[in-house]
Amino acid sequence: MPLENWTVLIVDDDDAIRENLGAFFDRAGVHVVSAADGAAALVQVAVAKPDLVILDVMMPELNGRQVLRALRAGGDWTPVILLTRTGESSERATAIEEGADDYLNKPFDPQELLARSRAVLRRRGGQVEPLQSARSLRSGPLSVDRTARSAALESRLVTLTPKAYALLDYLITHPGEVFSRDFLLNEVWGYQFAVATRAVDHRIAEIRRALADDPDAPRFVETIPRGGYRFCGLVERA
């Protein structure tokens, strides 16, 4: 979607954040509307029909998580990026389970937020619901049961360590997107884990062994030189 066709709703009770982000997105050619609290956000979603909602979690009265739940419960799958103040992996996982498309920890670089916004809109395309909301996904002979946190190849269960499964789950719910090792460490391991980027390579190797995925002719996980990794298979809801 061209930038000039976007409408983004920025929701934050901090006036400075709303104004600064609004000016930044406006300079990028994005049409901006804003709301200072959760109740106003729900009204703006109904009236302005934004393409994307950037939603702060920590707000008085109706917080961002409550707004997100209200939207999804009402069948509204407008893409949402949550702005949080915690790097806990459990908090991020809960946000995705409740229907968020992405999340970003404060403080953040506006350029990264813009890049993630583009990625969310590109990933969603014409889909009503994001892949992150699916209970199960399929890519050719690979099926992933996200409720049971298990994967199967040709209907046979494969054995993965918890971190390898979490990495596979993140990649398959973001098909086609390239993620650096540092990014995956933060998203899957969480910033509280002091581990080297080689940990990502080890778990990728584990996934490839379990899925019989040839790195020279990958069906599922592709290495991008100087870039990182991406899920390269076609993904659909199972």
Side-chain angles (χ1 to χ4, degrees):
M1 179 185 295
L3 284 178
E4 61 270 16
N5 293 335
W6 290 17
T7 296
V8 60
L9 169 60
I10 299 173
V11 187
D12 201 300
D13 60 332
D14 187 316
D15 295 343
I17 290 178
R18 287 199 317 279
E19 292 170 6
N20 291 336
L21 274 183
F24 177 81
F25 273 83
D26 183 69
R27 289 193 298 272
V30 180
H31 176 61
V32 177
V33 292
S34 65
D37 57 64
L42 292 174
V43 172
Q44 284 282 36
V45 170
V47 173
K49 301 188 182 306
D51 299 293
L52 175 71
V53 180
I54 296 172
L55 181 60
D56 185 34
V57 171
M58 299 301 293
M59 293 187 293
E61 298 181 20
L62 198 63
N63 65 42
R65 297 273 294 279
Q66 291 170 316
V67 172
L68 175 63
R69 288 195 291 266
L71 289 174
R72 299 315 188 225
D76 190 318
W77 287 93
T78 302
V80 171
I81 296 177
L82 289 180
L83 303 180
T84 73
R85 292 188 183 277
T86 175
E88 294 291 336
S89 57
S90 58
E91 180 76 10
R92 298 196 303 269
T94 300
I96 293 299
E97 289 172 0
E98 291 179 343
D101 293 78
D102 207 345
Y103 39 79
L104 193 60
N105 293 334
K106 289 183 173 181
F108 56 85
D109 182 345
Q111 286 286 358
E112 181 179 0
L113 178 58
L114 179 61
R116 291 203 187 197
S117 299
R118 286 190 176 113
V120 164
L121 290 175
R122 183 173 60 248
R123 183 165 71 240
R124 287 286 292 273
Q127 297 181 73
V128 176
E129 299 182 28
L131 290 176
Q132 294 98 312
S133 70
R135 294 189 175 186
S136 57
L137 296 170
R138 179 176 297 278
S139 179
L142 170 65
S143 58
V144 175
D145 185 332
R146 304 187 67 233
T147 303
R149 297 182 63 80
S150 64
L153 188 67
E154 302 286 3
S155 300
R156 294 188 300 274
L157 287 176
V158 298
T159 300
L160 291 171
T161 59
K163 275 294 181 282
Y165 172 80
L167 182 55
L168 173 62
D169 182 79
Y170 192 87
L171 291 172
I172 198 172
T173 54
H174 299 77
E177 293 185 50
V178 180
F179 298 108
S180 70
R181 293 167 175 82
D182 286 335
F183 181 89
L184 291 170
L185 274 177
N186 182 65
E187 296 301 302
V188 178
W189 276 256
Y191 75 87
Q192 70 270 31
F193 290 91
V195 293
T197 56
R198 290 292 297 173
V200 177
D201 298 332
H202 293 326
R203 298 289 75 80
I204 289 290
E206 178 186 341
I207 291 169
R208 284 173 167 161
R209 287 194 300 271
L211 303 184
D213 198 25
D214 183 352
D216 294 324
R219 295 181 294 172
F220 307 119
V221 180
E222 180 181 10
T223 301
I224 306 300
R226 295 181 297 281
Y229 297 104
R230 71 177 173 189
F231 195 91
C232 58
L234 177 66
V235 179
E236 58 186 359
R237 292 168 178 267

